[in-house]
Amino acid sequence: MAAGLRAVRRWGLVATAPGLAFTRSASVVKNASNAQPNWLGVGLAFGTSAALWAFLVKEHNEDVMEYERRKRERGHKCTGCS
């Protein structure tokens, strides 16, 4: 009889208040193991960061070169070029 009552409660066949129904979390929390770090994740994190910084520095250098080129063109006041 007790097993039947548990099944009825589990499947929500008993009328209960909406907020008091039996709920179960979908996430499972486990203790972090600091003895064995996730080296793949660490490598991916640092590798991604290094790649983004390299891209940022490359783009910055290209932008500076374009700025200098436009600044030189703006300062050129030759009448023979027009």
Side-chain angles (χ1 to χ4, degrees):
M1 169 126 172
L5 183 57
R6 272 188 260 133
V8 168
R9 285 185 185 157
R10 181 176 298 164
W11 297 108
L13 300 175
V14 177
T16 59
L20 302 176
F22 177 75
T23 59
R24 186 172 178 173
S25 176
S27 65
V28 177
V29 178
K30 61 181 180 177
N31 292 336
S33 173
N34 292 331
Q36 294 178 340
N38 181 3
W39 290 112
L40 178 63
V42 171
L44 284 173
F46 280 114
T48 303
S49 179
L52 288 173
W53 273 104
F55 177 73
L56 179 68
V57 168
K58 178 182 152 291
E59 287 293 314
H60 172 72
N61 289 339
E62 289 176 0
D63 289 345
V64 169
M65 286 174 32
E66 180 68 16
Y67 170 76
E68 293 294 331
R69 184 188 66 79
R70 288 184 183 189
K71 190 166 86 171
R72 277 194 314 270
E73 286 179 359
R74 211 177 24 233
H76 187 71
K77 304 283 186 199
C78 174
T79 56
C81 295
S82 310

